[in-house]
Amino acid sequence: MKKFRTLKPSELRWQCDAKLLKFKSMKDVSACEGIIGQPRAIDAIKLGINVKYPGYNIFITGPVGTGRTTAITKLLEELKERKEQLKDLLYVNHFKNPDMPKLIELPAGQGKAFRHTMRNLINDLKKNIPQVFGSEEYQARRQKALNKYEEKHRALLKEFEKKVEEQGFKVVQIQMGPFVRPAILPIVDGKPINLDEYEALVQSGKITEEEYNITKEKIRELESGMAAIYTKAREIQDKANEELAKLNEWMVKPVVSHMIDEIKKKFTGEKIEGYLKDVLNAIMDDLDRFLKKETKEDEFREFQVNVLVDNSETEVIPIIFETSPSYKNLFGTIERQAVGPGIIRSDFLNIKAGSFLRANGGYLIINALDALVEPWVWQTLKRTLRNGVIDIQAFDPFYIFTTSALKPEPISTDVKIIMIGSQWLYYLLFYRDEDFKKIFKVKADFDTVMDKTPENVNQYATFIKSICDVETLLPFNKTAIAEIIEYSVRIAGRQGKLSTRFHIIADTIREADYWARQANKKEIGPADVEKAIQGWRRRVNMFEDKIQEMIENNLLMISTKGNVVGQVNGLSVYQVGSYAFGRPTKITAKTSLGRAGIINIEREANLGGRTYNKGVLILSGFLRSRYAQNQPMAIDATLGFEQTYSEVDGDSASSAEVYALLSSLSGVPLRQGIAVTGSVNQNGEIQPIGGVNEKIEGFYEVCKAKGFTGKQGVIIPDGNVGDLMLKQEIVDAVKKKKFNVYAIKNIDEGIEILTGVKAGRKTKTGFEKKSINDLVDKKLSEYAAKMKGFVKGK
């Protein structure tokens, strides 16, 4: 037999050499200022930030805790673009069409000033216009105009009244409720009487019926003439009003125009010019409202200014993190305002901006999943990015009645969107949404690991320093920093890598500070780091302890001593939330004469996952390629995971199943003190698997509980040696020869370790005599012969 590769203690765990740390103490370490271990992602983000062409928005992927948000924050904070590029966005009343408010853009900081100026304009006009109307000059000119038209009016009426009186009638004013109307009455005995009294004269015989009819006809003719007179009187009044309006314009308009001209000097632009012209016309059209001593709160609402986005205090370009990307929060809305019982109003002052507009000219960071689950958000976001224009709309899908027909003027936008999400979400959008790849051209992948170079090791120390400085933690001594770095390698899962799951490392740093303070220490040592790690494990490993207890009480039957035919300890990993641990599982194989081949009990019971089932099919291929070249495999073989009642998945037990089958066929027992992990291919090669540290530690704990024999250990794939970061306790146990870790490359090496019998090479005449392969081959030949004889006999 060839000599096995038994791993040395130094191969079981990477130790952080103090020489790698280029400082004497933490005082010599500078706090981390950059992003550690993500060069690929950082380059992508920088490209997305600096390329100004449409579609170069950024989608950041990677697991939580890899520094995605921190990285984008620091990179954006480094931008030195000046705020003069920013604009204030304002909505003002559209006097000709109030349902379509006008947009005005002003340089940053001028929006509030313009709103204040317009408010002052109205307040000043409320004082100045009454003063103009109350001036002696205005009153004199007004009275002169009124007198002129009043004389014309009186002359017209006087002439008509004279004509009426000449015909024996008189014009009188008759009270009709609250109103007075003119009437023409006949004169009898020098006095005007109404028609009822005149009719009574007919009945009394004082006047004839003919005279009465003639009088009525004359009254009708005179009333027709009176209507014409009053039409002329209204024309006189209209001319009077027109002249008064011209007077008002001549006296008041210069005052208003002067004040508006002063505003134009401060605020320039074509839209400002047009808006202020409309303001002037609106003021002149209704001057009477400025004469009221008391006005309602919103009397002059149409002259107010809605500052939608105010960048007066924005020192650099906007960087907005929208943590709740609902439609309203992102794109704004048009609010409703109750103005009375059952009366709701919306106008240009009710338009509110969302974070998209507040980020205009800058960057908006949102969570991808949050945006996708909110109604209307994704479609509106795509439309806005495609067109570069945002339309603010009222959005309330649960409100039965719409109350606003407002259509504000669209706003041109220049916003760089940065979405943070998972890999699966990115590719879901990439393949399912045609627009996605056009508007998110930059993908920034954050990795969970980085190379364990001396530079990165020392950068880890700067990260620890920054956490301690920001959160006022106790300083770490050099050995404690080394312990943190070793823990990072363990999380990374490879000896040549460091973890970039910095949220896990940060939590460990904080908890180590807690334990150090509990012990009244002035600095954090390696024991505090280890206590923090063990403390976290204790909080989450109750399920592990329960399984361990069941093994110790023999409720889960695991043998760690002796030899058994067709039985081997496979290793499984249990994942409970963020915590993973390993425990052995008894795998058995039973063989007999038959035609069914290998029967996968887990699959038959619907407990086998797809990867596990594939592994069983692969090991079947291996057995046929090795032993069924010259004879059929007349065999029934059952494979089962004992005392396992939930789904089994993964192919890491396929090598263990091969060993159990070979043992059952050869009759050679397997060592129960050796547990096995590793997947096998059809060539019999052992392939690397995941969770190797947890699997070794799990079997170690079982052996420790049941008692060490010095011959116990674990067989792992040779390709997993670089993944080993075992607990120091196991390293010490290997040093004391209480426990062993074997690394193999193929099935033959593994079967020799488990049986103590050579595997046997294949020669021209068959396998080496008395080897495992020879015994298996003979058993299969025996089965084939019996099957052949059975068929003939039948």
Side-chain angles (χ1 to χ4, degrees), residues 408-426:
E409 185 177 345
I411 303 172
S412 297
T413 59
D414 178 20
V415 179
K416 184 80 72 173
I417 299 293
I418 301 169
M419 294 187 82
I420 300 175
S422 59
Q423 286 275 11
W424 73 264
L425 185 56
Y426 173 85

Side-chain angles (χ1 to χ4, degrees), residues 559-562 569 671-675 699 703 711-714 739:
S559 299
T560 60
K561 299 174 184 177
N569 286 322
R671 294 169 58 186
Q672 300 302 292
I674 303 293
F699 190 65
C703 293
K711 297 181 180 179
Q712 294 150 330
V714 173
F739 197 75

Side-chain angles (χ1 to χ4, degrees), residues 589-645:
K590 297 297 179 183
T591 56
S592 64
L593 178 65
R595 294 180 174 178
I598 296 176
I599 300 171
N600 178 359
I601 293 176
E602 310 305 323
R603 183 178 62 188
E604 297 299 320
N606 292 322
L607 293 176
R610 290 182 298 177
T611 307
Y612 170 75
N613 293 333
K614 177 184 176 182
V616 174
L617 294 174
I618 288 174
L619 72 88
S620 299
F622 162 70
L623 292 174
R624 285 193 295 269
S625 68
R626 176 168 287 193
Y627 303 113
Q629 298 300 309
N630 301 313
Q631 61 189 10
M633 288 190 69
I635 181 177
D636 282 356
T638 56
L639 288 172
F641 278 61
E642 305 296 345
Q643 294 186 286
T644 299
Y645 308 105

